[in-house]
Amino acid sequence: MGQLYDPASDEAIYQSVRSTLESARAKAAVAVNDAMVSAYWEIGRQITEAQGERAEYGKHLMEYLSERLTKEFGKGFTIRNLQAMRQFFLAFPIVNTLCSQLSWSHYRLLIRIEDRERREFYAHAAVEDHWSVRQLDRQIHSSYYERLLATHEDHREVVRKEIQKVEPVTKADDILKDPYVLDFLDLSGSAFLEADLEQALMDKLQEFLLELGKGFAFVARQYRITTASDSHYYIDLVFYHCILKCYILIDLKTGKLTPQDVGQMDFYVRLFDDQCTQPNDSPTIGIILCADRDETVAHYSALAEDKGIFASRYLTYLPTEEELAQVLETTYTLASGEAE
């Protein structure tokens, strides 16, 4: 008597059924999230309109609703949560602007941002770049918005373009940040080698790509380029930017920026463009990632000549607001062309 079942067929059917269930669960999760976010927005609207300008009544209303709703619907309706729903409505008063891709946990982070433009930037970036709640929290606390804007003279215009998609990203300035915050590397102090920094970035490549921003794709480390006289040179990190359609070379420096660093990167970019790029590629961009930047070198070198070569600092720790403000002041001054 022949075999009554085929293990391969059983496995194929199982995988098909499993795929169906996974798809259904994903759709259900999206639907539940969308319904919950909409419900919390509506609750916030009703509370806000009922309270009006009556602060004392608002306090009473929160306590009353919290007690009644908790008895009937269980946890989740504390006074604090109801206040968050009211704040949610005030931060996003137009229901049609809510994004189904963002969860209530995303919005709980966003409503803490008081500045409307800053809040809209993070909401837009979270959707566009598919940030998890954890990633959004990290970007907010590392001042992603401020670091991006500090590299631009017309920084408000950059945000407008990013949020409204008036114009696409077209130049290197639109993707650069200064400083880059590499707190995820677990490198303490300054007693480490460039090789240690490179290895740490490779070990945390996903986090590094998030820090670099949208459009970066990893190509290689220690990429070898060779001259006509058979001299070999090695570029620390090579990326391709899918939006700008160009290669981006990154040279790691654990010390202060020097004229030799700038000259070396200029050489790398020229040689790479000559040997490695294709006709449809845009000109290669070079970024020197250094522990500190000599502003005189930056002002009197190829960095100031719009040759696609840039220098940005990196921090291996999450700075305080005061520390970051000091660093950003220097960056913004340079971007505005005010440095001596």
Side-chain angles (χ1 to χ4, degrees), residues 118-183:
R118 185 169 176 257
R119 183 171 61 244
E120 288 181 357
F121 175 87
Y122 280 114
H124 174 82
V127 172
E128 286 290 307
D129 298 335
H130 307 287
W131 287 347
S132 66
V133 175
R134 181 179 178 183
Q135 289 171 333
L136 173 61
D137 186 47
R138 194 261 173 190
Q139 297 292 51
I140 293 173
H141 282 89
S142 67
S143 300
Y144 177 93
Y145 169 87
E146 289 80 3
R147 290 185 289 121
L148 179 64
L149 299 193
T151 61
H152 301 78
E153 181 177 356
D154 191 3
H155 58 296
R156 295 294 175 184
E157 182 67 10
V158 172
V159 175
R160 184 183 69 82
K161 291 179 181 179
E162 178 65 20
I163 293 175
Q164 299 178 5
K165 288 299 178 185
V166 176
E167 298 178 21
V169 172
T170 58
K171 57 185 185 299
D173 283 350
D174 293 337
I175 64 169
L176 292 174
K177 293 194 289 290
D178 187 19
Y180 286 88
V181 178
L182 310 179
D183 58 304

Side-chain angles (χ1 to χ4, degrees), residues 89-260:
F89 168 74
L90 293 174
F92 298 89
I94 303 175
V95 68
N96 292 336
T97 63
L98 300 181
C99 300
S100 60
Q101 297 95 323
L102 300 180
S103 68
W104 173 238
S105 296
H106 283 99
Y107 280 115
R108 286 293 293 263
L109 294 175
L110 292 170
I111 61 178
R112 298 173 190 171
I113 303 173
E114 295 183 4
D115 182 75
R116 180 186 60 79
E117 195 170 70
R118 185 169 176 257
R119 183 171 61 244
E120 288 181 357
F121 175 87
Y122 280 114
H124 174 82
V127 172
E128 286 290 307
D129 298 335
H130 307 287
W131 287 347
S132 66
V133 175
R134 181 179 178 183
Q135 289 171 333
L136 173 61
D137 186 47
R138 194 261 173 190
Q139 297 292 51
I140 293 173
H141 282 89
S142 67
S143 300
Y144 177 93
Y145 169 87
E146 289 80 3
R147 290 185 289 121
L148 179 64
L149 299 193
T151 61
H152 301 78
E153 181 177 356
D154 191 3
H155 58 296
R156 295 294 175 184
E157 182 67 10
V158 172
V159 175
R160 184 183 69 82
K161 291 179 181 179
E162 178 65 20
I163 293 175
Q164 299 178 5
K165 288 299 178 185
V166 176
E167 298 178 21
V169 172
T170 58
K171 57 185 185 299
D173 283 350
D174 293 337
I175 64 169
L176 292 174
K177 293 194 289 290
D178 187 19
Y180 286 88
V181 178
L182 310 179
D183 58 304
F184 50 85
L185 297 182
D186 299 324
L187 292 174
S188 57
S190 58
F192 53 84
L193 303 174
E194 290 170 5
D196 298 327
L197 176 59
E198 179 183 319
Q199 184 61 54
L201 289 172
M202 289 298 94
D203 291 342
K204 296 293 181 67
L205 183 58
Q206 182 176 0
E207 290 88 343
F208 186 39
L209 286 170
L210 177 66
E211 175 62 12
L212 287 174
K214 180 170 55 180
F216 282 83
F218 177 67
V219 176
R221 64 185 293 194
Q222 291 300 309
Y223 190 94
R224 189 177 77 177
I225 50 179
T226 304
T227 65
S229 58
D230 286 334
S231 295
H232 302 305
Y233 297 90
Y234 296 86
I235 304 168
D236 290 338
L237 301 172
V238 178
F239 293 85
Y240 191 82
H241 200 275
C242 302
I243 301 174
L244 295 179
K245 304 298 183 184
C246 70
Y247 287 95
I248 296 180
L249 316 182
I250 295 182
D251 198 22
L252 303 173
K253 300 296 179 183
T254 56
K256 196 170 188 177
L257 180 71
T258 69
Q260 291 77 16

Side-chain angles (χ1 to χ4, degrees), residues 248-309:
I248 296 180
L249 316 182
I250 295 182
D251 198 22
L252 303 173
K253 300 296 179 183
T254 56
K256 196 170 188 177
L257 180 71
T258 69
Q260 291 77 16
D261 297 332
V262 180
Q264 176 178 271
M265 179 55 81
D266 187 31
F267 170 72
Y268 284 169
V269 167
R270 292 171 185 270
L271 188 58
F272 193 94
D273 260 339
D274 184 60
Q275 294 189 358
C276 305
T277 58
Q278 300 299 313
N280 293 331
D281 290 328
S282 298
T284 299
I285 294 169
I287 301 176
I288 306 167
L289 205 54
C290 51
D292 195 10
R293 187 171 60 182
D294 187 317
E295 308 309 346
T296 302
V297 173
H299 191 63
Y300 292 102
S301 69
L303 296 177
E305 297 177 2
D306 195 24
K307 292 185 176 180
I309 302 173

